[in-house]
Structures are given as C-alpha cells and as structure tokens.
Amino acid sequence: MGKRLAWTIAVVFLSSVLGLALAAHPEAQQLEPIKEINLTSFPQGQQPWVYQQALMIAENWRKLGLKVRLEPLNIPNPLIQRVFKDKDFDATMMEGSGLLDRLDPDFFLYTVFHSSNAGPGAWNLSGFNDQEYDKLAEAQRKEYDLEKRREIVWKCQEVLHKHVPWIVTVNNNAIQAYNQADFKDPAISVSGFYDAITLFTIKPTGDRKIFRYGSSLSDLKTINPLVFNESDQFVYIYSIYDTLVRINPQGKPEPWAANALETVNERTIDVTLRDGMKFHDGKPLTADDVKFTFAYLAKHNPVYLQKKIECVESVEVLSKDKVRFRLKEPYAPFIALTLGLTPILPQHIWEKIEKPHEHRNVPPIGSGPFKFVHWRETQEFMMTKNPEHFSPPYVDGVLFVFYGTAEAVNTALIKKEVDSETLVTPQQVEDLKKLSHIRILNLPTHTTDGVIPNIRRKPFDDPKFRLALAHAAPRQQIVEEVFFGFAEVGGSMIARYNQFWHNPNVKPYPYDLEKAKAILKEAGYRWNEKGELCYPPK
Amino acid sequence: MQRLAMAACTLFFLATVLFVLFRMLPGDPTMTVLSSALDPEVQKEMRHRFGLDRPLLEQYGIYMKNLVMGEFGVSFQHGVKAYDIIAEKFWNTILLMLPSLCLAFLLGILVGSYVAWKRGSLLEKGVVTGSVVFRSAPEFWVAIVFIFVFAVQLDIFPSGHMRTPGYKSTGTIEVYLSLDFLYHLALPMLMMALYYCCYPLLVMRTAMLEVMGEDFIELCQAKGLSQRRVIFKHAMRASLLPIATSVSLLGAYATAGSVLIETVFSWPGLGRLMVQSVLYSDYPVAQACFLLIGAMVVLGNLLSDLLYGILDPRIRYR
C-alpha cells in the first residue's frame, strides 16, 4: 500500500515538473502535427478524370502543410467496400453521376446528406450529421408545391455550402457523338444522349433505318427488371418496358402510359391508363398489371428499384383502366422517381415465375416502343420498332454493339461501323471534328465531382478546416487541364445545369491558398518548424 | 495413365486454390453497385440468395459437388447458370487461340530453322532482332497498332468483333461457318500468330544451331545429301524437342495474353468475361473461367509431355 502511494506521489511530482517545463514553451512543445491523410480515388485506369483531380487536390493540400497519401481503389471492388460500406478513408474523391433520377434534388440533398444515411453502405459518406439540416431535407421531400419545395431546396444548398460536407470541384460535360449523315433530330434528354428518349426520337435521313449504338460502358448483364442494378441498363429496360410517367427532355415528369394523374390528397394519387395498350405478345395491359407490378416488386426486393417503391403502401384497382396509389407518407419525388422508373410487368408472365431473381427474362415482354429481337452476350443487343405503340419510334430498330474499350468504339464510329458513341474523351474531339458525317454533342450535366471529407475523423470534423480546404481546390485548373474545357466550375450540390433547383446565390469558393491558410490560422491551426500543419494548441 | 492421374490431381488442387483465393480477395459480391442495393436489408437478402451466408466449408462442399457434376453454380451478376454464360465464350476463345497458336508454331519452326541455316547473314540478324523487339512489346499495344494500321489506315479489315454487328444466323454452328467470321478472325489471328511465333522461332534457331554442330549432321552431309534435306529432314526433327516444351509454356502465356487481346479486338471470348467477373466478385463465373483456363494449361502440359514421347523414344512413360 505504502509503496503504491510513494509511486503515485513520485509520478504526480514528475509530471507536474514536466508540465511546468512544457508550459514555458507552449508553442514548441504542444504542437501536434496532423497525421498523414489517406485520400482515396477511382484509379487512373477506370476514371482518369477523377484520379487526376485527386492528384491536383493532394498537391494543393501538401502546399498547406498536410501529408497526403493518395490511394486509388478499383470500382466496384474494393472501392465500394472501403468507401461505402466501411467508410474507411480520411477523404475520398468522388463523382455523383448525373443520372436522370438524380435531377430531382432528393438524391443530392437527402440521400447524400441526411444523417439516417450515414451508416454502412449508405450514401452519406461524409457522415454529415446536422439536426437543422435533417429537418430541411425531410421537409423538401414532403412538399408537393414546386415553388415552396424550391425554397427549401435552396436553403438546403446554403446550409451545405456553409458546412462543406462535400467540397464540390466541377460539373463535367458529357461529350457524345453520332452519325449525322444517316440520322437526325434526336431529342436530347437531360441525362444526355445515352437515354431511351434519344432512340424514341431520332430519325433516319435515308435508307438505313437501323440505328447502331456503340457502347463500351460495360457489357449488358441482365434485362431482368428485378436484377438490373446499373444506370447503364436504363436504356434497354425503358425501351422495352413502359412506365406510367416519363421524364421528358426538359426534365419534367409527364404522363406516359398514364393518361392522367390526379393527386387526391398528399398520400393518395389516382392514375388513369391510356386506352388500348398491349404487351408485345398481344395481351392487353390493364390496371391489374399495374397493381400486380407494384405488389410483385415489393415482394421480391428488386435490386435497383426497391428504394423507389418502398413509399407505396398499397395499389387499388378502381376500374379496368384506373388505379389508386396510397403512400405510407407524403413523398414529393413519387411521380418522377416511383412512377417514372417502375417498368410495368405483364402479370400473365411473371406470376408463373418461381425464382424471379434467377430468371433470364429472354425474350423480355413489355409494352414499350421497342420489341426485343436478340441478345448475343458481350457482342450485341437488337430491338425492333413496336408499330402498335402509342408513340412509335422513327427508326426501324436499334442495334447496340458492345466493344472492349472506348478507343474501339471511337474507331468503329470513324469507320461507320456504328452510328453513335456514348463516351467521347476530350482528346478524341479534335479527330472527330475533322469528319463531316459526325456531329459532336457537348452537353452540360448535373454530374457532380468533389472531395468528400470524412467528418467522423479528425481533423475533418472541424467545419473551419473543411472551409479552408474548400479554398484549396484548383477548380479552374481542373476544368482546363483535366477536362480540356469540357466542364464547369462547381459550387452548389445542385449543379447550375439543374436550373429549376439550383440556388444561384451559392457560388463556388475561390481557389486561394493564402485565404485557406488565413482561415486555418484564425481557427487556431499552426505550422511547426518543419512546415507541417498542426492542430490548434490546447 | 500416370500422367492423366497427375493432371486430374492438379486440376483438383487448382479448383481448391481458386475457391480460397477468391474468398480472400478484398471486396464483397453484394457490394458491386452504387445504388440502393447497398441497403443492409437488400444485402442480407442477396447474400442469402447467393448462398454466401452458409459456412465456408459447406460452400466449398457445394462447389466441389457441382464441379464433379460439371456445374459451376449460378452467376451473381447475370442471375443465370455460369455454365451457360461461359460455354459459348469458351469456344470463341478456342477458335481464336488454337489456329493462331498453330500458325505461330508453324511459322516459328520454319522461319527459325531457315535463319539457323542462313547463320551470319543479314536476314538472320534482322529476323532475330525483329523478333526480340516484337516479343518485348506488350501484346495490347501490338494489337492497337495492328488495328490502327490494318483497320483504320489501310481499311482492309474490320476493327473488331467476331461477326458484322446485326448478322443473321439461325444455328450455333452457322455463326462460325461463314466468310464473315473468317474476315473478322483474320486480323486478330494474324496479330497473335506473328506475336507468338517469336518465341518458338528463337528457341528453334538456338536448338538448330546446337544440333547442326553434331556428328550425325556431318555424317548426313558426308553421305552427300543436299543441304536442304539435311536441314529440314534431319536437323529439324532433332531440334523439335525444346519446341515441345514451349508448347505448354507458350500456351499458358498466350492464354494470359488473350485477356488483353480479346478486349482490344472486342472478341467475345473468356478473357473479357474474366475481367468483368473478377471486378464484380462474381465467384461462380470467375472460378469457372480460371478453372477452364487452368485446364487448358494442364492440357497443354500433358500434350507437350506426350509430344516428347513421340519425338524422342528414350523418354517415353512406362
């Protein structure tokens, strides 16, 4: 007992002496350098434009006195596990693709930043957790009045801008090209050329009436609406299957297979179907098929669609061509996202399938503007016009041709082996410009690139620190050197391209390293004699 | 017989190693999409559907049982049997590789012995330097150069694929029995043959030079046989032994290279499927692909062993 007491006294004595000694030189002794930051990114081989941005960001962070280790991760494996599931990173370079269903602000505001989505696997990568913000994000998805909803959406963008849970760098353009000698006048959807709307509206100029679509994005793996899981597959699914609502080229949801939509109250929506719709096998499409589709999908957990349909409480058949949707709670994106993305399945086919997730679904029977012809895996996918559709396409058919690399598609377009290319790189633009038969489309998008700081970890938990880093992203340089001008400097989480929802008062932070240093200094951060950035002394 | 048993053992071992290796890889097959599929509920459901929630040993048991019955399980990505996806691709790969390799060996042996005969000439120096340089270039680069020169600049071959997109065909065999197929096969086959003939060419030349210094060649010459006959009949046969070894070596090498070449030529073979299935942790398809390719290498080894026996009666298995 006595021994322990003696030890305690000795330790207390020694430490107080040490403490006094340290107090004499507080600046020199207590500075704790910030540990090496692990910045993850897509690799050069997969998404070079993301990796190159990460390189530039890392270089600028180093100029602030940080140590940065850049770690490229392959998508999907192991990136999804590390970044999305385990959230094991200090900061990550990310791209939020400008998909059609992300035009609705719900994705970039609620899915990406609501605190309920900060768990394993969900999209709130930064771990942003702010009660005031959560309330705003919830309110916007319940507000049906567009003007009122916009006010809340604007407010959300301001809060995000202030707290910087995502350092937006740029919104990149989509560069696509097609053969204008043989085809003309495609309506370009807000999600770009790679969309079913292109195929519904493009017109042949001469005798060649089959539009050949060159793709290198990834091989088509499934046309089963329960199994499909990538936005690349939208173009096939929504050519063959109809949805009740379709998002028009201007980005607004419009009735498609529906004749009219009627909001009875904020949880009840009535939908009247078009007259005389038929599936490709000749059987009529009725209200029963609609009811069946939603019940069937809810039962079988479709990979992509599950989140879109879980708001539906029940579907009731009112008459042969009228259904009533009841929602669990008011959900403003219901019309655009739920009705706009759910393909109507024929009951007489799917009710007989025992293991729908293992069903190959060849041939797929839908009611859409195109009918399935053949699918040769990793080679091609062929569809033909459905002349009985209420909005028949102008071309006789569409042939998707799959290539191993982006260069191969480019070569094929130049050689006229295909009529369009989904992904033109800025470097290829100059070569294509010389060819008269090719029209190049340079389309702004709402794709949002940026660095996501992991707020769960030090020093990113400090909003001042994040604000300083927001000033250390060379946005203009990225636009010029990474995208050769085919991008726009980004500020808000809702891109400028998304005009209706974008808040013009949210401006990009200027690139200014001196200002970044000043913010850090003001927040108490210091640099040690080696020039390393250190935490504020306690 | 003994060789066959050994080959079977090798395959069994390979299957086991593959099973373990894929499960050691970072990443999770239920996490291959950036979407709502990352919902823990959905993941649990997927895990169950894929059979990944069972103990590892049980998974291994099912895997082995399936293998013995010639099944590879259901693909995670495609949602259909892995066998159905692979079977067709496998033949596409074989149809590209087999003729290419045969041509490569034929070319290599003939040109190799010819330059050995013309030892010291400018031609010999040129061919040897050329093949060393060519062989050192990465195959995907050579493939791109071939496409650039023959498909884009000269415009005499298509830039890729196995048939003209949108072709009509009724039967499986009909796909291959057409001029269109040969037309598409020509460029990748030529490229592979030229690329892979360098190795047997150099091996052949070295072996020939060695053999040509031996007594029995002098004897042949003393018999008054023509030089051509000495070279192509007597010296060549004796020099073929190292070539037999290179069959298995080159086979393995070309199999690995086919992944890249098929991608560049958009050839619908196993190579491209392999890359995709590994990226997406599609265990059943990836395992089946690697196993098949492994089987091809084992078969190549077996073949070269048998060739040895034929070429040199002294090393025949008893």
Side-chain angles (χ1 to χ4, degrees), chain A residues 302-357:
Chain A
V303 180
Y304 189 87
L305 295 169
Q306 189 183 24
K307 282 274 168 188
K308 314 276 188 263
I309 56 163
E310 65 188 8
C311 60
V312 178
E313 191 181 72
S314 70
V315 185
E316 195 183 325
V317 176
L318 297 182
S319 71
K320 193 173 153 281
D321 58 356
K322 198 164 183 184
V323 286
R324 171 167 285 181
F325 286 89
R326 277 182 209 284
L327 308 186
K328 289 174 189 155
E329 55 184 52
Y331 181 58
F334 172 74
I335 290 176
L337 298 187
T338 309
L339 297 185
L341 289 172
T342 308
I344 305 169
L345 307 176
Q347 180 175 9
H348 61 277
I349 290 177
W350 288 86
E351 66 187 355
K352 290 178 202 139
I353 292 161
E354 275 174 33
K355 286 184 175 174
H357 282 275

Coordinates of all heavy atoms in Angstrom, one line a residue, chain A residues 302-357:
Chain A
P302 N -36.5 -5.9 -55.6 CA -35.7 -5.7 -56.8 C -34.5 -4.9 -56.5 O -34.6 -4.0 -55.6 CB -36.6 -4.9 -57.7 CG -37.6 -4.3 -56.8 CD -37.8 -5.2 -55.7
V303 N -33.3 -5.2 -57.0 CA -32.1 -4.6 -56.6 C -32.1 -3.1 -56.7 O -31.8 -2.4 -55.8 CB -30.9 -5.2 -57.4 CG1 -29.6 -4.6 -57.0 CG2 -30.9 -6.7 -57.3
Y304 N -32.4 -2.6 -57.9 CA -32.3 -1.1 -58.1 C -33.6 -0.4 -57.6 O -33.5 0.7 -57.1 CB -32.1 -0.8 -59.6 CG -31.8 0.6 -59.8 CD1 -30.5 1.1 -59.7 CD2 -32.8 1.6 -60.1 CE1 -30.2 2.4 -59.8 CE2 -32.5 2.9 -60.2 CZ -31.2 3.3 -60.1 OH -30.8 4.6 -60.3
L305 N -34.7 -1.0 -57.9 CA -36.0 -0.3 -57.7 C -36.5 -0.3 -56.3 O -37.4 0.5 -56.0 CB -37.1 -0.9 -58.6 CG -36.8 -0.8 -60.1 CD1 -37.7 -1.6 -60.9 CD2 -36.9 0.7 -60.5
Q306 N -36.0 -1.1 -55.4 CA -36.6 -1.2 -54.1 C -36.8 0.1 -53.4 O -37.8 0.4 -52.9 CB -35.7 -2.2 -53.2 CG -36.5 -2.5 -51.9 CD -35.7 -3.3 -51.0 OE1 -34.5 -3.4 -51.0 NE2 -36.4 -4.0 -50.1
K307 N -35.7 0.9 -53.4 CA -35.8 2.2 -52.7 C -36.9 3.1 -53.3 O -37.4 4.0 -52.6 CB -34.5 2.9 -52.7 CG -33.5 2.3 -51.7 CD -33.6 3.0 -50.4 CE -32.9 2.2 -49.3 NZ -33.1 2.6 -48.0
K308 N -37.1 2.9 -54.6 CA -38.1 3.8 -55.3 C -39.5 3.4 -54.9 O -40.4 4.3 -55.0 CB -37.9 3.7 -56.8 CG -36.4 3.8 -57.2 CD -35.9 5.2 -57.4 CE -34.6 5.3 -58.0 NZ -33.5 5.4 -57.1
I309 N -39.7 2.2 -54.7 CA -41.1 1.7 -54.5 C -41.5 1.6 -53.0 O -42.7 1.3 -52.7 CB -41.4 0.4 -55.2 CG1 -40.4 -0.7 -54.8 CG2 -41.4 0.6 -56.7 CD1 -40.9 -2.0 -55.1
E310 N -40.6 1.7 -52.1 CA -40.9 1.4 -50.7 C -41.9 2.4 -50.1 O -42.4 2.2 -49.0 CB -39.7 1.2 -49.9 CG -38.8 2.4 -49.7 CD -37.5 2.0 -49.0 OE1 -37.2 0.8 -48.8 OE2 -36.8 3.0 -48.7
C311 N -42.1 3.5 -50.8 CA -43.0 4.5 -50.3 C -44.5 4.1 -50.5 O -45.4 4.7 -49.9 CB -42.7 5.9 -51.0 SG -42.9 5.8 -52.7
V312 N -44.7 3.1 -51.4 CA -46.0 2.7 -51.7 C -46.6 1.8 -50.7 O -46.0 0.8 -50.3 CB -46.0 2.0 -53.1 CG1 -47.5 1.6 -53.4 CG2 -45.5 2.9 -54.2
E313 N -47.8 2.2 -50.1 CA -48.4 1.4 -49.1 C -49.3 0.3 -49.8 O -49.2 -0.8 -49.5 CB -49.2 2.3 -48.2 CG -49.7 1.5 -47.0 CD -50.6 2.5 -46.1 OE1 -51.7 2.8 -46.5 OE2 -50.1 2.9 -45.1
S314 N -50.1 0.8 -50.8 CA -51.0 -0.1 -51.5 C -51.4 0.4 -52.8 O -51.3 1.6 -53.1 CB -52.2 -0.4 -50.7 OG -53.1 0.8 -50.6
V315 N -51.8 -0.5 -53.7 CA -52.3 -0.1 -55.0 C -53.7 -0.7 -55.1 O -53.9 -1.9 -54.9 CB -51.4 -0.5 -56.2 CG1 -52.0 0.0 -57.5 CG2 -50.0 -0.1 -56.0
E316 N -54.7 0.1 -55.5 CA -56.1 -0.4 -55.6 C -56.6 -0.3 -57.0 O -56.4 0.8 -57.6 CB -56.9 0.5 -54.6 CG -58.2 0.0 -54.2 CD -58.9 1.0 -53.3 OE1 -58.2 1.7 -52.5 OE2 -60.1 1.2 -53.5
V317 N -57.2 -1.3 -57.5 CA -57.8 -1.1 -58.9 C -59.2 -0.5 -58.7 O -60.1 -1.1 -58.1 CB -57.9 -2.5 -59.5 CG1 -58.6 -2.4 -60.9 CG2 -56.5 -3.1 -59.7
L318 N -59.4 0.7 -59.3 CA -60.7 1.3 -59.2 C -61.6 0.9 -60.4 O -62.8 0.8 -60.3 CB -60.5 2.9 -59.3 CG -59.7 3.4 -58.1 CD1 -59.6 4.9 -58.2 CD2 -60.3 3.0 -56.7
S319 N -61.0 0.8 -61.6 CA -61.7 0.3 -62.7 C -60.7 -0.4 -63.7 O -59.6 -0.5 -63.3 CB -62.5 1.4 -63.4 OG -61.5 2.2 -64.1
K320 N -61.2 -0.8 -64.9 CA -60.3 -1.5 -65.8 C -59.1 -0.7 -66.1 O -58.0 -1.2 -66.4 CB -61.1 -1.8 -67.0 CG -60.4 -2.9 -67.9 CD -61.3 -3.3 -69.1 CE -60.5 -3.7 -70.3 NZ -60.0 -2.7 -71.1
D321 N -59.2 0.6 -66.1 CA -58.1 1.5 -66.5 C -57.7 2.5 -65.5 O -57.2 3.6 -65.8 CB -58.3 2.1 -67.9 CG -59.6 2.9 -67.9 OD1 -60.3 2.9 -66.9 OD2 -59.8 3.6 -68.9
K322 N -58.1 2.3 -64.2 CA -57.8 3.3 -63.2 C -57.3 2.6 -61.9 O -57.9 1.6 -61.5 CB -59.0 4.1 -62.9 CG -58.7 5.4 -62.2 CD -59.9 6.3 -62.3 CE -59.6 7.7 -61.7 NZ -60.7 8.6 -61.6
V323 N -56.2 3.1 -61.4 CA -55.6 2.6 -60.2 C -55.4 3.8 -59.2 O -55.3 4.9 -59.5 CB -54.3 1.9 -60.3 CG1 -54.4 0.6 -61.0 CG2 -53.3 2.8 -61.1
R324 N -55.5 3.4 -57.9 CA -55.2 4.4 -56.8 C -54.0 4.0 -56.0 O -54.0 2.9 -55.5 CB -56.5 4.5 -55.9 CG -56.3 5.3 -54.7 CD -57.6 5.6 -54.0 NE -58.3 6.7 -54.8 CZ -59.5 7.2 -54.4 NH1 -60.1 6.7 -53.3 NH2 -60.0 8.1 -55.1
F325 N -53.0 4.9 -55.9 CA -51.8 4.6 -55.1 C -52.0 5.3 -53.7 O -52.4 6.4 -53.6 CB -50.6 5.2 -55.8 CG -50.1 4.5 -57.0 CD1 -50.6 4.8 -58.2 CD2 -49.2 3.5 -56.8 CE1 -50.2 4.1 -59.4 CE2 -48.7 2.8 -58.0 CZ -49.2 3.1 -59.2
R326 N -51.7 4.5 -52.7 CA -51.7 5.1 -51.4 C -50.2 5.0 -50.9 O -49.6 4.0 -50.9 CB -52.6 4.3 -50.4 CG -54.0 4.7 -50.5 CD -54.8 3.9 -49.4 NE -56.2 3.7 -49.9 CZ -57.1 4.7 -49.9 NH1 -56.8 5.9 -49.3 NH2 -58.3 4.5 -50.3
L327 N -49.8 6.2 -50.3 CA -48.4 6.2 -49.9 C -48.3 6.1 -48.4 O -49.3 6.5 -47.7 CB -47.7 7.5 -50.3 CG -47.8 7.9 -51.8 CD1 -47.0 9.1 -52.1 CD2 -47.3 6.7 -52.6
K328 N -47.2 5.6 -47.9 CA -47.0 5.5 -46.4 C -46.9 6.9 -45.8 O -47.4 7.1 -44.7 CB -45.7 4.7 -46.1 CG -45.9 3.2 -46.4 CD -44.6 2.5 -46.2 CE -44.7 1.1 -46.8 NZ -43.4 0.6 -47.2
E329 N -46.3 7.8 -46.5 CA -46.2 9.2 -46.0 C -46.0 10.1 -47.3 O -45.6 9.5 -48.3 CB -45.1 9.4 -45.0 CG -43.7 8.9 -45.5 CD -42.6 9.1 -44.5 OE1 -42.8 8.6 -43.3 OE2 -41.6 9.7 -44.7
P330 N -46.3 11.4 -47.2 CA -46.1 12.2 -48.4 C -44.7 12.1 -48.9 O -43.7 12.1 -48.1 CB -46.4 13.6 -47.8 CG -47.2 13.4 -46.6 CD -46.8 12.1 -46.0
Y331 N -44.6 11.9 -50.2 CA -43.2 11.8 -50.8 C -43.3 12.5 -52.2 O -43.8 12.0 -53.2 CB -43.0 10.3 -51.0 CG -41.7 9.9 -51.6 CD1 -40.5 10.3 -51.0 CD2 -41.6 9.1 -52.7 CE1 -39.2 10.0 -51.6 CE2 -40.4 8.7 -53.3 CZ -39.2 9.2 -52.7 OH -38.0 8.8 -53.2
A332 N -42.7 13.7 -52.2 CA -42.8 14.5 -53.4 C -42.2 13.9 -54.6 O -42.7 14.1 -55.7 CB -42.2 15.9 -53.1
P333 N -41.1 13.2 -54.5 CA -40.5 12.6 -55.8 C -41.3 11.4 -56.3 O -40.8 10.7 -57.2 CB -39.1 12.1 -55.3 CG -38.8 12.8 -54.0 CD -40.2 13.0 -53.4
F334 N -42.4 11.1 -55.7 CA -43.2 9.9 -56.1 C -43.4 9.8 -57.6 O -43.2 8.8 -58.2 CB -44.5 9.8 -55.3 CG -45.4 8.7 -55.7 CD1 -45.2 7.4 -55.4 CD2 -46.6 9.0 -56.5 CE1 -46.0 6.4 -55.9 CE2 -47.4 8.0 -57.0 CZ -47.2 6.7 -56.6
I335 N -43.9 10.9 -58.1 CA -44.3 10.9 -59.5 C -43.1 10.7 -60.4 O -43.1 9.9 -61.3 CB -45.1 12.1 -59.9 CG1 -46.5 12.0 -59.2 CG2 -45.3 12.3 -61.4 CD1 -47.4 13.2 -59.4
A336 N -42.0 11.5 -60.2 CA -40.8 11.4 -61.0 C -40.1 10.1 -60.8 O -39.7 9.4 -61.8 CB -39.9 12.6 -60.7
L337 N -39.9 9.7 -59.6 CA -39.0 8.6 -59.3 C -39.7 7.2 -59.2 O -39.2 6.2 -59.7 CB -38.2 8.8 -58.0 CG -37.3 10.0 -58.0 CD1 -36.4 10.1 -56.7 CD2 -36.4 10.0 -59.2
T338 N -40.8 7.2 -58.6 CA -41.5 5.9 -58.4 C -42.3 5.6 -59.7 O -42.0 4.5 -60.3 CB -42.5 6.0 -57.2 OG1 -41.8 6.4 -56.1 CG2 -43.0 4.6 -56.9
L339 N -43.2 6.5 -60.1 CA -43.9 6.2 -61.3 C -43.0 6.2 -62.6 O -43.2 5.6 -63.5 CB -45.1 7.1 -61.5 CG -46.1 7.1 -60.3 CD1 -47.3 8.0 -60.7 CD2 -46.6 5.6 -60.1
G340 N -42.0 7.1 -62.5 CA -41.1 7.3 -63.6 C -40.2 6.2 -63.9 O -39.6 6.1 -65.0
L341 N -39.9 5.4 -62.9 CA -38.8 4.4 -63.0 C -39.3 2.9 -62.9 O -38.6 2.0 -63.1 CB -37.7 4.6 -62.0 CG -36.9 5.9 -62.3 CD1 -35.9 6.1 -61.1 CD2 -36.1 5.7 -63.6
T342 N -40.6 2.8 -62.6 CA -41.1 1.4 -62.4 C -41.6 0.8 -63.7 O -42.7 1.3 -64.2 CB -42.2 1.3 -61.3 OG1 -41.6 2.0 -60.1 CG2 -42.5 -0.1 -61.0
P343 N -41.0 -0.2 -64.3 CA -41.5 -0.7 -65.5 C -42.7 -1.6 -65.2 O -42.8 -2.3 -64.3 CB -40.3 -1.6 -66.0 CG -39.5 -1.9 -64.8 CD -39.8 -0.8 -63.8
I344 N -43.7 -1.4 -66.1 CA -45.0 -2.2 -65.9 C -44.7 -3.6 -66.5 O -44.4 -3.8 -67.6 CB -46.2 -1.6 -66.6 CG1 -46.3 -0.1 -66.1 CG2 -47.4 -2.3 -66.3 CD1 -47.3 0.7 -66.9
L345 N -44.9 -4.6 -65.6 CA -44.6 -6.0 -66.0 C -46.0 -6.7 -66.3 O -47.0 -6.4 -65.7 CB -44.0 -6.8 -64.8 CG -42.7 -6.2 -64.2 CD1 -42.3 -7.0 -63.0 CD2 -41.6 -6.1 -65.2
P346 N -45.9 -7.6 -67.3 CA -47.1 -8.4 -67.6 C -47.4 -9.4 -66.5 O -46.5 -10.3 -66.3 CB -46.8 -9.0 -69.0 CG -45.3 -9.0 -69.0 CD -44.8 -7.9 -68.2
Q347 N -48.6 -9.4 -65.9 CA -48.9 -10.3 -64.9 C -48.9 -11.7 -65.4 O -48.4 -12.6 -64.7 CB -50.3 -10.0 -64.3 CG -50.7 -10.9 -63.2 CD -52.0 -10.5 -62.5 OE1 -52.7 -9.6 -63.0 NE2 -52.3 -11.1 -61.4
H348 N -49.4 -11.9 -66.6 CA -49.6 -13.3 -67.1 C -48.2 -14.0 -67.3 O -48.2 -15.2 -67.3 CB -50.4 -13.3 -68.3 CG -49.8 -12.6 -69.5 ND1 -49.9 -11.2 -69.7 CD2 -49.0 -13.0 -70.5 CE1 -49.3 -10.9 -70.8 NE2 -48.7 -11.9 -71.3
I349 N -47.2 -13.3 -67.3 CA -45.8 -13.9 -67.5 C -45.2 -14.1 -66.1 O -44.7 -15.2 -65.8 CB -45.0 -13.1 -68.4 CG1 -45.5 -13.3 -69.9 CG2 -43.5 -13.6 -68.4 CD1 -44.8 -12.5 -70.9
W350 N -45.1 -13.0 -65.4 CA -44.3 -13.0 -64.1 C -44.9 -13.8 -63.0 O -44.2 -14.3 -62.2 CB -44.0 -11.6 -63.7 CG -43.0 -11.0 -64.6 CD1 -43.3 -10.3 -65.8 CD2 -41.6 -11.0 -64.5 NE1 -42.1 -9.9 -66.4 CE2 -41.0 -10.3 -65.6 CE3 -40.7 -11.5 -63.6 CZ2 -39.7 -10.1 -65.8 CZ3 -39.3 -11.3 -63.8 CH2 -38.8 -10.7 -64.9
E351 N -46.3 -13.9 -63.0 CA -46.9 -14.7 -61.9 C -46.5 -16.2 -61.9 O -46.6 -16.8 -60.9 CB -48.4 -14.5 -61.9 CG -49.1 -15.1 -63.1 CD -50.6 -14.8 -63.1 OE1 -51.1 -14.1 -62.2 OE2 -51.2 -15.1 -64.1
K352 N -46.0 -16.6 -63.1 CA -45.7 -18.1 -63.2 C -44.2 -18.3 -62.9 O -43.8 -19.5 -62.8 CB -46.0 -18.5 -64.6 CG -47.4 -18.6 -64.9 CD -47.6 -19.1 -66.4 CE -49.0 -18.7 -66.9 NZ -49.0 -18.2 -68.3
I353 N -43.4 -17.3 -62.7 CA -42.0 -17.5 -62.5 C -41.7 -17.7 -61.0 O -42.0 -16.9 -60.2 CB -41.2 -16.3 -63.1 CG1 -41.4 -16.3 -64.6 CG2 -39.8 -16.4 -62.7 CD1 -41.1 -15.1 -65.3
E354 N -41.0 -18.8 -60.7 CA -40.8 -19.2 -59.4 C -39.7 -18.5 -58.7 O -39.8 -18.0 -57.6 CB -40.7 -20.7 -59.2 CG -42.0 -21.4 -59.1 CD -41.8 -22.9 -59.2 OE1 -40.7 -23.4 -58.6 OE2 -42.6 -23.6 -59.7
K355 N -38.5 -18.4 -59.4 CA -37.4 -17.8 -58.9 C -37.1 -16.6 -59.7 O -36.2 -16.6 -60.6 CB -36.2 -18.7 -58.9 CG -36.2 -19.8 -57.8 CD -34.9 -20.6 -57.9 CE -34.8 -21.6 -56.8 NZ -33.6 -22.5 -57.0
P356 N -37.8 -15.4 -59.5 CA -37.6 -14.3 -60.4 C -36.2 -13.7 -60.5 O -35.8 -13.2 -61.5 CB -38.6 -13.3 -59.8 CG -38.9 -13.7 -58.5 CD -38.7 -15.2 -58.4
H357 N -35.4 -14.0 -59.4 CA -34.1 -13.4 -59.5 C -33.1 -14.2 -60.3 O -32.1 -13.8 -60.7 CB -33.5 -13.3 -58.1 CG -34.0 -12.1 -57.3 ND1 -33.5 -10.8 -57.5 CD2 -35.1 -11.9 -56.5 CE1 -34.2 -10.0 -56.8 NE2 -35.2 -10.6 -56.2

